[in-house]
Amino acid sequence: MTTKPAAAAARATVHGYPRQGQSRELKKAIEGYWQGRVTADALRATAAGLRRANWEQLAAAGIHEVPTGDFSYYDHVLDTTVMVGAVPDRHRAAVAADALAGYFAMARGTQDVAPLEMTKWFDTNYHYLVPELGPDTVFTADPAKPVGELTEALALGLTARPVLVGPVTYLLLAKPAPGVPADFEPLTLLDRLLPVYAEILADLRAAGAEWVQLDEPALVQDRTQAELNALARAYRDLGALTDRPRLLVASYFDRLGDALPVLAKAPVEGLALDFTEAAATNLDALAAVGGLPGKRLVAGVVNGRNIWVNDLEKSLATLGTLLGLADRVDVAASCSLLHVPLDAAAERDIEPQILRWLAFARQKTREVVTLAKGLAHGTDAIAADLAANRADLTSRTMSPITHDPAVRARAAAVTDADTHRAQPYAERATAQRAHLALPLLPTTTIGSFPQTDELRTARADLRAGRIGTADYEERIRAEIRDVIAFQEKTGLDVLVHGEAERNDMVQYFAEQLTGYLATRHGWVQSYGTRYVRPPILAGDISRPEPMTVRWTTYAQSLTGRPVKGMLTGPVTMLAWSFVRDDQPLADTARQVALALRDEVDDLETAGTSVIQVDEPALRETLPLRAADRPAYLAWATEAFRLTTGGVRPDTQIHTHMCYAEFGDIVQAIDDLDADVISLEAARSHMQVARELAAHGYPREAGPGVYDIHSPRVPS
């Protein structure tokens, strides 16, 4: 089929790009600054070099309009807090004395001052720092960062579009500041915030911005009529400004719903919408409101959150339909490419044919450019790209990696009895108290001890062949001995082996399960300088042999106190991986659960009496729309129970969750039927404990009171 060229040339753009650099240069520079080894000026120079490299790569790839302002030392929401002058009172002195040091104090805290709360960015594994606002908050404009970065890009001769967190989303993400009544609604500050945005927009226009993008992802969640009215007022007022650039309002991660007609009518010049699977109904909804006559539409047709190659023909069909719904249609990824690794070409250990199934940020950029070329000039102009893409998609569909009959037969045979413990909790609790003989208020840690420089060096030496397996394993045994001795001396009741042998709580298991692919350079920012390498869930999942039994059993042999077996749960294995998109998530979760069930059973057989199955991602994977949540929670809680449902009543099952809002999933936490749940409670001021109490949670709970992501020692 030959597609005719678009009437107006489509352009290619992206919402944002990975910040860290090819070798995580930003992480190294920031951590060096924290340790006093890197000066502030050197850190700024590294950051400027990374920004320039990103923009030049994007332009060289064919991106017509590069984003600015998406770069951050720690978090773009924290950057917005600085931009609008909403620095908490407890941090103002530090920020005034040294802006950079004060910025990091807000992110990490100091010995004397607590940091901002950290939580998940919608349903991703990226964490943002929660703004703290109150009725006395006074906003003041600080445009230095957005103006400065725009100026840098324009000096390179590039067409650049500043990207800012929109005012409505910023307020909807905020919480009442400490000491402010809990029922205070930050959105009531909108009329106070809008003049600050107006000032910043004017400054950006004066600096040369033709367009500014205002990100409003909070609009893809369920919103009240009052919130939609506030949205309409915000863009009515910003749209009415005379001294401003053209405005592009962007949403992503899901369908817009009731916010779409509000934005379609708003006096702004463009909308950026997500048209990937999660938000495919945006297309019909856009047609239903009459499209965007006279406006620019930036169509997110390349998935910015997963790593599979795009179906170019399918995306072109979507783009062709959209041509009749807006004055100008440009092509983009669905959201910032912050959520994917930088470059698949760096992966030398993945089989070349399989590598062709993958698209990281640089490959997605090329897909966006290819689609824009096809939309502008017709499919004949990209015929070779389309043929290669069809071949890659067919190769993946036909690969034996993606279809294991034995795994599928086992998953199909699961019964309801498999997903429930044989005894109710009250009976199990009695058996566990008798078996474990723990005190009334037992103490434990979540699991991992620090990965020391010595451990990292040993792992690197093993990979490089400088030491053998026997020497490496003796170093692991020595570390476990030290960790057990330390915990006994400290007086903890339930010990952990410290996980010295593990690289990451998902990657470690993925590397031992069939169906997963591991990357060597696939780093993605989780928060601040914390980067992870999410494995790729490419095919059907099974466990060839035990994964943790050996080291857990060794640790238990060193002490008479119980040592927890430590596993990552099935939902988190999915959420913190790049998951396959060719079957329902529920099917994949069941396969992972069955593999983990085998591990749980083997741990119990080896004498492990306490087994922790971590599910920190249960809340973050919660669908953004309430209507989609019951189905998700049903399969997610079932997967956990399938993992743990086969153990004896006197084996105590723990789970752990952290850095999320748990109030709306307390019933699901109950439905997991774990014997003990440990939750992060330090940055959230023990809110989760109050929520569990209000629910009447009937099992044991361990509030985590020590914030491990801050250098601050609590009293």
Side-chain angles (χ1 to χ4, degrees):
M1 181 182 72
T2 300
T3 300
K4 295 180 180 179
R11 292 183 173 270
T13 189
V14 293
H15 295 338
Y17 207 63
R19 303 159 177 164
Q20 70 266 26
Q22 183 68 52
S23 300
R24 292 182 294 159
E25 292 88 346
L26 184 62
K27 169 187 172 69
K28 296 167 187 174
I30 291 173
E31 292 180 350
Y33 169 77
W34 291 344
Q35 295 159 8
R37 295 185 290 100
V38 174
T39 66
D41 285 343
L43 172 56
R44 293 187 183 101
T46 296
L50 291 171
R51 289 194 293 269
R52 177 176 184 137
N54 280 354
W55 295 328
E56 289 179 339
Q57 286 171 8
L58 289 168
I63 294 295
H64 302 98
E65 184 183 55
V66 301
T68 65
D70 61 306
F71 180 89
S72 181
Y73 285 119
Y74 204 96
D75 166 50
H76 54 270
V77 181
L78 178 59
D79 296 341
T80 309
T81 292
V82 173
M83 183 185 77
V84 302
V87 175
D89 289 341
R90 66 184 182 279
H91 292 290
R92 286 194 178 278
V95 171
D98 184 327
L100 187 59
Y103 174 90
F104 287 124
M106 286 190 284
R108 306 173 68 231
T110 66
Q111 179 53 42
D112 301 317
V113 182
L116 291 166
E117 181 180 344
M118 184 167 66
T119 195
K120 298 294 173 67
W121 175 249
F122 298 94
D123 58 347
T124 74
N125 190 36
Y126 177 81
H127 301 65
Y128 73 94
L129 290 157
V130 181
E132 296 177 358
L133 306 177
D136 297 330
T137 297
V138 176
F139 297 109
T140 55
D142 180 357
K145 180 182 184 295
V147 169
E149 293 178 13
L150 171 67
T151 302
E152 291 175 23
L154 294 178
L156 298 174
L158 303 173
T159 300
R161 181 186 74 255
V163 179
L164 309 176
V165 176
V168 176
T169 287
Y170 179 75
L171 293 176
L172 289 172
L173 293 177
K175 283 188 172 182
V180 172
D183 60 354
F184 173 74
E185 295 184 5
L187 193 58
T188 59
L189 302 175
L190 180 62
D191 292 336
R192 202 181 301 176
L193 181 61
L194 290 176
V196 172
Y197 269 81
E199 184 177 342
I200 293 164
L201 290 171
D203 289 336
L204 287 168
R205 184 186 182 192
E210 296 182 9
W211 286 86
V212 168
Q213 178 175 321
L214 295 171
D215 282 3
E216 296 284 8
L219 302 180
V220 302
Q221 296 172 303
D222 299 311
R223 290 297 162 203
T224 66
Q225 189 57 54
E227 291 166 341
L228 295 173
N229 292 342
L231 171 68
R233 187 168 77 256
Y235 285 98
R236 178 200 67 199
D237 291 357
L238 293 178
L241 298 171
T242 55
D243 187 21
R244 66 166 178 84
R246 285 174 281 183
L247 299 180
L248 176 73
V249 182
S251 80
Y252 35 82
F253 299 147
D254 211 317
R255 56 193 184 275
L256 259 180
D258 293 337
L260 180 55
V262 177
L263 289 177
K265 289 185 226 174
V268 299
E269 287 73 27
L271 293 185
L273 302 180
D274 185 345
F275 293 102
T276 58
E277 286 299 318
T281 58
N282 273 339
L283 196 156
D284 291 338
L286 187 60
V289 300
L292 302 174
K295 294 186 178 184
R296 175 189 185 186
L297 173 63
V298 175
V301 292
V302 172
N303 191 326
R305 294 181 56 177
N306 212 335
I307 45 69
W308 304 108
V309 293
N310 183 265
D311 185 333
L312 296 179
E313 289 182 338
K314 183 178 179 180
S315 292
L316 277 174
T318 298
L319 291 166
T321 302
L322 292 171
L323 283 176
L325 297 176
D327 188 57
R328 166 183 165 189
V329 176
D330 291 337
V331 184
S334 60
C335 60
S336 173
L337 298 177
L338 169 73
H339 304 289
V340 295
L342 186 58
D343 187 7
E347 300 302 327
R348 306 298 184 189
D349 298 335
I350 297 177
E351 196 273 321
Q353 180 55 58
I354 295 176
L355 196 62
R356 291 185 61 85
W357 306 346
L358 308 181
F360 294 178
R362 289 186 183 172
Q363 289 72 37
K364 288 180 183 296
T365 299
R366 287 200 290 271
E367 290 177 337
V368 167
V369 171
T370 298
L371 288 166
K373 183 179 178 182
L375 190 63
H377 303 293
T379 51
D380 288 349
I382 58 168
D385 297 290
L386 291 175
N389 180 244
R390 278 193 298 271
D392 294 338
L393 295 172
T394 300
S395 166
R396 183 182 169 206
T397 301
M398 302 299 292
S399 172
I401 292 175
T402 62
H403 191 91
D404 183 330
V407 171
R408 294 186 174 232
R410 185 184 182 195
V414 168
T415 67
D416 185 64
D418 295 326
T419 64
H420 291 87
R421 300 280 291 272
Q423 299 80 15
Y425 171 71
E427 294 179 17
R428 303 196 312 258
T430 300
Q432 291 160 21
R433 281 193 291 270
H435 181 56
L436 297 172
L438 295 174
L440 179 62
L441 295 174
T443 55
T444 188
T445 68
I446 296 306
S448 58
F449 271 57
Q451 290 277 316
T452 63
D453 290 340
E454 291 79 9
L455 284 173
R456 293 190 179 95
T457 298
R459 197 167 289 129
D461 287 346
L462 178 67
R463 285 196 301 267
R466 291 186 290 268
I467 62 173
T469 300
D471 287 339
Y472 171 73
E473 291 186 349
E474 180 49 42
R475 296 185 192 187
I476 298 297
R477 280 191 288 271
E479 180 68 18
I480 292 173
R481 289 194 296 270
D482 288 346
V483 165
I484 293 294
F486 172 78
Q487 292 173 91
E488 288 191 320
K489 181 180 178 181
T490 304
L492 293 176
D493 300 304
V494 178
L495 312 188
V496 298
H497 80 287
E499 304 175 25
E501 79 286 4
R502 304 187 189 184
N503 42 24
D504 171 83
M505 64 180 290
V506 172
Q507 182 185 350
Y508 177 76
F509 294 99
E511 289 174 347
Q512 301 182 76
L513 295 171
T514 62
Y516 265 103
L517 304 174
T519 68
R520 182 162 292 202
H521 304 286
W523 298 104
V524 177
Q525 187 181 22
S526 179
Y527 59 84
T529 61
R530 165 69 170 164
Y531 286 84
V532 295
R533 283 182 295 163
I536 297 167
L537 212 166
D540 288 341
I541 300 298
S542 61
R543 188 204 67 152
E545 58 187 23
M547 302 179 287
T548 67
V549 174
R550 176 187 176 198
W551 293 116
T552 305
T553 304
Y554 174 70
Q556 186 64 77
S557 74
L558 303 173
T559 179
R561 302 180 193 182
V563 175
K564 285 192 289 189
M566 304 297 302
L567 304 176
T568 301
V571 176
T572 301
M573 288 295 297
L574 267 62
W576 294 358
S577 303
F578 291 114
V579 73
R580 61 191 299 181
D581 59 355
D582 57 346
Q583 69 179 18
L585 277 175
D587 294 353
T588 306
R590 179 170 282 195
Q591 292 181 3
V592 175
L594 286 168
L596 294 173
R597 183 185 178 99
D598 293 341
E599 188 71 13
V600 168
D601 292 348
D602 283 348
L603 280 167
E604 184 184 62
T605 300
T608 304
S609 298
V610 181
I611 301 171
Q612 181 170 306
V613 181
D614 290 343
E615 282 292 21
L618 181 70
R619 173 58 180 82
E620 82 180 43
T621 315
L622 190 70
L624 297 174
R625 294 281 182 180
D628 302 329
R629 293 176 179 177
Y632 158 73
L633 290 172
W635 66 253
T637 55
E638 180 194 83
F640 183 93
R641 294 193 308 271
L642 180 59
T643 300
T644 59
V647 297
R648 299 188 309 266
D650 61 355
T651 296
Q652 191 173 75
I653 295 295
H654 290 221
T655 190
H656 166 65
M657 300 177 191
C658 57
Y659 297 109
E661 305 295 329
F662 297 110
D664 48 3
I665 64 160
V666 174
Q667 182 57 54
I669 292 174
D670 199 343
D671 291 342
L672 296 177
D673 197 24
D675 300 304
V676 180
I677 181 167
S678 300
L679 299 116
E680 181 277 323
R683 288 204 179 188
S684 55
H685 313 293
M686 296 292 283
Q687 177 64 26
V688 66
R690 291 188 288 274
E691 291 165 345
L692 289 174
H695 174 75
Y697 186 71
R699 300 173 188 83
E700 295 187 27
V705 296
Y706 200 120
D707 181 5
I708 65 160
H709 298 306
S710 170
R712 181 171 181 262
V713 178
S715 63

